Amino acid sequence: MEQALATNPLVDLPSSREKILDVAEQLFSRRGYAGVGLREVADGVGLGKSSLFHHFRSKDQLYAELLGRVLRRLRNQLRPIVTAELAPAEKLVRWIEALVDALAEQPASARLLVRELVEDGQFQSEELPEAVEATQVLSEILGGIRQLLAEGIEQGVFRQVSIPHTVQTLIGATVYHFASGEFGDGLLGRSLFSAEAVKTRKQELIATLQQGWMA
Amino acid sequence: MEQALATNPLVDLPSSREKILDVAEQLFSRRGYAGVGLREVADGVGLGKSSLFHHFRSKDQLYAELLGRVLRRLRNQLRPIVTAELAPAEKLVRWIEALVDALAEQPASARLLVRELVEDGQFQSEELPEAVEATQVLSEILGGIRQLLAEGIEQGVFRQVSIPHTVQTLIGATVYHFASGEFGDGLLGRSLFSAEAVKTRKQELIATLQQGWMA
DNA sequence: CGCCCGACCGACCGATCGGTCGGGGGCCTC
DNA sequence: GAGGCCCCCGACCGATCGGTCGGTCGGGCG
């Protein structure tokens, strides 16, 4: 996180802009869009507040860009699984594992996503191009899992579950879980993101859901 | 909502105070604690902002009281099921049904709860007595479902699932689902709270989870 | 009648909000 | 060495934040 960045003349881009996004991701994920002021973000980066506006047009745009970054990461890790040549049951297991891994790798992601899903989306309706792109990436991810489920049902390996409800259950069991912060830590008696807890989560999920959806 | 309240000399209590809580519940659930100003709450009730402080000490206290109201409702609807004399499998089904019904009845509840669970709880650590009480009610609810699951495992009718993870899955599949607002509406193609969608949710949940947890 | 009190109000407080503006310093290129 | 560009800054803007204050009003009660 704190390597020598400025000393590398070739890829010094990850400097301020990325640092702002990193800090903002931590803060927004914990206390929400309205709960964090730009002053605090700037302080966390070690810049003046007005410097943020050199890199981003507005608070809205900063947030939208953040969301896009998180969603693109997820999409990139999940896409190859949907398009792979595998049996649906195997695909589903790998998809769940990959989603859990992706969420566990970057603890702020799940919280950010839950906030966005629970919010009455002011962002997708904005004319901000970054927000529009983020919405598209989300649609891609959803399309993938829907297709995966549809395949399995068509081939008769899954029960005839309701696809939208199943998607919701999956999101709840993964994204919500890793977004549950201190509450989840307290329930589990350890950090949600400890290697042990992540492994157990995968096992429990796959056992429950696979068994619950198999024909 | 707009009956003649003041004309009834016996039960005129549900007047302003309850009205404030109702309006605040709608607003906070949709845009979060930090996202709603007291001015807007007061306008929604039809009062001046300063009048809110006649009924509540602070914004924090108003919010804590709100949370307590929601949690007490849930506890009161779930408690009799845990203590009932029924087989664990039957109890679990009824518990899920009751939770879904309770969340579906008052659409703001689920969103409020998800926000609270995802937030790094500033409220339970506060010295606000209303917040402490709300935390206790939440613990009661959690204790109930934990006990229910433990019973089932002990009697061998449930698999040896991890109880904390199972609780998380249950919360995700119910509370998150009904908190997912416009996103969930879009996924389902109808309102999350339509009678049809609620009924389907119950069926899907019970089928999946029961089948996934039975020994 | 006079008195009290709960409900309510507008004006106001200091602080903070997102955002703007003019300018300064380092570095690269003519 | 003179410009140009990128990055950054402090000072400042109007608006809004949670919260306070003094005071008005009307109904119940002695």
Side-chain angles (χ1 to χ4, degrees), chain A residues 27-28 31-42 49 52 59:
Chain A
L27 293 173
F28 284 146
R31 298 208 306 277
Y33 179 80
V36 177
L38 294 183
R39 169 74 192 272
E40 196 180 350
V41 176
K49 188 184 59 153
L52 301 187
K59 190 188 185 187

Side-chain angles (χ1 to χ4, degrees), chain A residues 32-90:
Chain A
Y33 179 80
V36 177
L38 294 183
R39 169 74 192 272
E40 196 180 350
V41 176
D43 284 352
V45 184
L47 289 179
K49 188 184 59 153
S50 52
S51 300
L52 301 187
F53 292 90
H54 178 73
H55 300 278
F56 304 94
R57 273 174 282 130
S58 67
K59 190 188 185 187
D60 277 11
Q61 193 238 335
L62 164 59
Y63 181 81
E65 201 126 356
L66 202 49
L67 211 60
R69 204 174 65 152
V70 167
L71 286 169
R72 277 193 301 273
R73 258 193 72 250
L74 281 184
R75 179 200 55 190
N76 293 343
Q77 296 192 235
L78 296 177
R79 186 162 44 185
I81 296 171
V82 177
T83 59
E85 293 275 355
L86 286 169
E90 175 70 13

Side-chain angles (χ1 to χ4, degrees), chain A residues 108-153:
Chain A
S109 302
R111 278 179 156 175
L112 223 49
L113 289 177
V114 166
R115 280 183 197 285
E116 191 54 26
L117 297 181
V118 168
E119 217 83 20
D120 260 345
Q122 305 128 276
F123 288 101
Q124 73 245 28
S125 64
E126 298 288 340
E127 62 273 11
L128 268 177
E130 292 84 358
V132 174
E133 195 231 342
T135 306
Q136 288 171 347
V137 176
L138 177 58
S139 299
E140 254 187 81
I141 298 173
L142 290 174
I145 182 60
R146 270 200 283 239
Q147 182 193 326
L148 200 162
L149 291 171
E151 269 180 39
I153 295 173

Side-chain angles (χ1 to χ4, degrees), chain B residues 138-158:
Chain B
L138 177 58
S139 299
E140 256 189 79
I141 297 174
L142 290 175
I145 181 60
R146 269 200 283 238
Q147 182 193 327
L148 201 162
L149 290 172
E151 271 180 39
I153 294 174
E154 196 186 357
Q155 299 186 17
V157 294
F158 298 157

Side-chain angles (χ1 to χ4, degrees), chain A residues 77-107:
Chain A
Q77 296 192 235
L78 296 177
R79 186 162 44 185
I81 296 171
V82 177
T83 59
E85 293 275 355
L86 286 169
E90 175 70 13
K91 262 197 214 181
L92 180 61
V93 170
R94 295 209 189 178
W95 192 90
I96 292 174
E97 285 178 338
L99 178 55
V100 168
D101 283 335
L103 294 174
E105 258 169 49
Q106 304 220 351

